[in-house]
Structure formats: structure tokens, C-alpha cells
Amino acid sequence: MAASLDGLPPLRDVIERFGLQAKKALGQNFLLDLNLTGKVARAAGPLHEHTVIEVGPGPGGLTRALLMQGAKRVVAVERDERCLPALVEVSAHYPGRLEVLSGDALKTDFSALAEGPTKIVANLPYNIGTELLVRWLTTPNWPPFYDSMTLMFQREVAERIVASPQDDAYGRLGVLSGWRTEAKIAFDLPPQAFTPPPKVRSSVVHLVPRAKPLPVGVGRLGRVTEAAFGQRRKMLRQSLKAVGGEALLAATGIDGTRRAETLSIAEFVALASVGEPRA
Ligand code: SAM
């Protein structure tokens, strides 16, 4: 068996040896080519001084790329216990640099894992990817515990994250991520890059927190955007009724006959700030 670039066994052998056949329920679409995982890791920028938080290391392809690229420390949270013995081997190869936590990312307090400058890098399970992103974007303390997030999503979700007003994909996710971060699609990967291949293309999104997002309560902004886009074809004076729309529109001077998709992030912030003490 020929060793890989990093002297560890090839990922296909790891999968075979530890019986890591992908489970759909866990959103398992593995990247087995270390050149591709290297490309994802590089999209995160320099890692030498950083703790990297990874969700779902699986058989360890991206984890290995992060370590090969010199990440100071990787903390990886994996729910599938079958993967743990494979990750122990990676940890032994990079003494003191990889910590694997067995557990559910949805129950993990990520801010407690950050140590020194921290980046989040992950090929996220598609079924919980959006939920995790929204949690990281709405973290109460700002600037947040991470310097950047480099995350793999289905292409359609990536488009919603980076969408601007008037884009078909513009919605609550675009407002939240555009409000607090600068988000860009770094590159796409075709289904065949993964084992097993998913149905759709994937994209790596890179998000960098803004130093000073416009001040507004996260909860208020969430409720206003949700109401506005919940009935996106309706005029704002109709869709915002449940959140006191008439008063919000009057106070901001925003025309109630407009639709949600035409509003800039600053306009959503203005609507959500009505009646709030100025920060
Ligand atoms: N990082 C690996 C790669 O790139 O090949 C695997 C990525 S795969 C798309 C998603 C990984 O997330 C799987 O290993 C899966 O077991 C794990 N996972 C799924 N749900 C999880 C959860 N709630 N908490 C932590 N890990 C989870």
C-alpha cells in the first residue's frame, strides 16, 4: 500500500480498514483526494498560528490537509463513533496537534473550544450546515470567537449565503451573513469529487467577520427578515404586519409597496432598529 503525501495510508484504505461506508443520515459525502482537501484548507488562509475548529472530520481527509498545512492545533467534532479509531491514527502522526471530540456539533459550545486565534473550516454535513452557520453568525459576542469560516455547502445554499438584493437567492441567510461578514464563494466542486457523489454541485464559502456590523439586536433582525421573506412576493406593508410593520415603515420612510428582495441590508437593519435604544 503506497503512503499518501503525508505518510499516512490513502483514505480509501482507511475507509476499507475501519469499515467507514458512508451513511446518508449523517450527511456523509467524503473527500478522499488530498489535493482537493488541500485546496479547501488553503482557502482558509494561513493556519500556523491558529486553532482550527472542524465539524465532521469523518475519515480525516480535510483534517489531514489542515495539519499538513501547518495548523497549530485542530479540534474536530465528530458524531459517528466509527470514525474515531481512524482519527486516532492521524492524531498519533501529529502529536499534540489534533484533538478529536466525540459528539453532536449541534450540542457543542464552539466558543469554548477556541484557544488563541481561531478559524472554522469544515465540509459540513448538508442536513445541519445551515443551522450551524446561522448559530455562528448570530453568536452574541462580536467580534466572534473565530477569525474566519471556510465551509463547504451545496451550491444552492452557498448562493443564498452570498446573495445581494434583487438576486433570486436573496433571503434571511444573505441578510444575516452580509450584515455580519463579508462572504464569498471561493470555488465549486462537482459531485464526482465526493464519495458517494451527492446529487448537486458543492461550493466552498469563505466568510470573514466585519469589525463593526451595523448595530442592531440579532433577534429583532431575524424576526423582521423572517417576516419579510416569509411572504416574499407580498408588499412589505402586508408581510411585515405581524412584526408591527406599519410603524416600522413609517419610522424609516421605507415605501410599504416594496418587496423584501429589494431591501438592502442597511434597510433591514433600520426596520429592525425602530424603537430600540441606539447602540
Ligand atoms: N470532513 C470529511 C470529508 O471532508 O471527507 C467528512 C465530511 S461529511 C460531508 C460530514 C461529516 O459530518 C461526517 O463525517 C458525519 O459523520 C459528520 N456529522 C454529521 N452530523 C454531525 C453532527 N451532528 N455533529 C458532528 N458531526 C456530524
Side-chain angles (χ1 to χ4, degrees):
M1 167 178 67
S4 299
L5 299 170
D6 55 2
L8 283 163
L11 284 154
R12 285 192 191 283
D13 296 350
V14 172
I15 290 195
E16 191 66 39
R17 198 151 42 92
F18 293 99
L20 303 181
Q21 277 63 43
K23 287 190 183 169
K24 206 172 167 195
L26 286 172
Q28 292 183 334
N29 299 99
F30 300 136
L31 282 172
L32 302 184
D33 178 346
L34 289 176
N35 294 306
L36 292 181
T37 57
K39 193 170 171 187
V40 179
R42 278 195 300 282
L47 301 175
H48 289 87
E49 318 229 305
H50 283 82
T51 292
V52 177
I53 293 177
E54 186 192 1
V55 171
L62 178 56
T63 321
R64 285 164 58 173
L66 293 164
L67 290 160
M68 256 193 288
Q69 252 155 76
K72 187 172 170 193
R73 171 175 171 257
V74 176
V75 187
V77 182
E78 175 57 63
R79 185 171 174 190
D80 185 353
E81 290 182 2
R82 296 180 309 160
C83 299
L84 302 180
L87 295 165
V88 166
E89 277 191 359
V90 181
S91 183
H93 194 71
Y94 292 98
R97 290 173 57 202
L98 171 61
E99 195 179 327
V100 179
L101 303 178
S102 172
D104 183 346
L106 291 176
K107 297 188 179 137
T108 303
D109 174 5
F110 288 97
S111 64
L113 304 181
E115 205 179 274
T118 297
K119 293 183 175 182
I120 303 176
V121 185
N123 173 14
L124 291 173
Y126 72 92
N127 42 351
I128 59 166
T130 313
E131 180 162 356
L132 285 173
L133 174 66
V134 169
R135 287 188 190 187
W136 291 327
L137 286 172
T138 55
T139 177
N141 296 327
W142 208 264
F145 61 89
Y146 52 85
D147 289 355
S148 66
M149 299 189 275
T150 307
L151 305 171
M152 180 89 70
F153 292 97
Q154 295 159 272
R155 171 84 202 178
E156 172 263 327
V157 177
E159 280 170 358
R160 289 200 274 131
I161 296 167
V162 304
S164 309
Q166 307 292 0
D167 291 346
D168 286 346
Y170 186 53
R172 188 175 77 109
L173 205 49
V175 172
L176 269 186
S177 51
W179 165 52
R180 275 195 153 171
T181 71
E182 279 189 65
K184 289 198 177 70
I185 293 184
F187 60 89
D188 280 2
L189 283 179
Q192 317 78 272
F194 300 85
T195 306
K199 290 206 174 63
V200 293
R201 284 181 79 75
S202 300
S203 306
V204 170
V205 182
H206 185 67
L207 303 100
V208 178
R210 293 184 191 280
K212 286 196 173 135
L214 294 169
V216 62
V218 179
R220 271 297 282 166
L221 184 63
R223 281 190 291 281
V224 169
T225 46
E226 213 168 307
F229 286 108
Q231 306 179 58
R232 61 187 298 141
R233 297 276 152 241
K234 298 229 164 103
M235 295 181 205
L236 291 169
R237 66 177 179 224
Q238 178 66 28
S239 58
L240 290 181
K241 261 189 183 152
V243 289
E246 223 165 285
L248 306 188
L249 293 164
T252 52
I254 292 172
D255 180 354
T257 64
R258 288 171 62 187
R259 294 190 171 84
E261 70 220 27
T262 70
L263 291 193
S264 67
I265 291 169
E267 287 175 315
F268 275 112
V269 168
L271 286 171
S273 306
V274 173
E276 281 199 339
R278 289 219 172 270

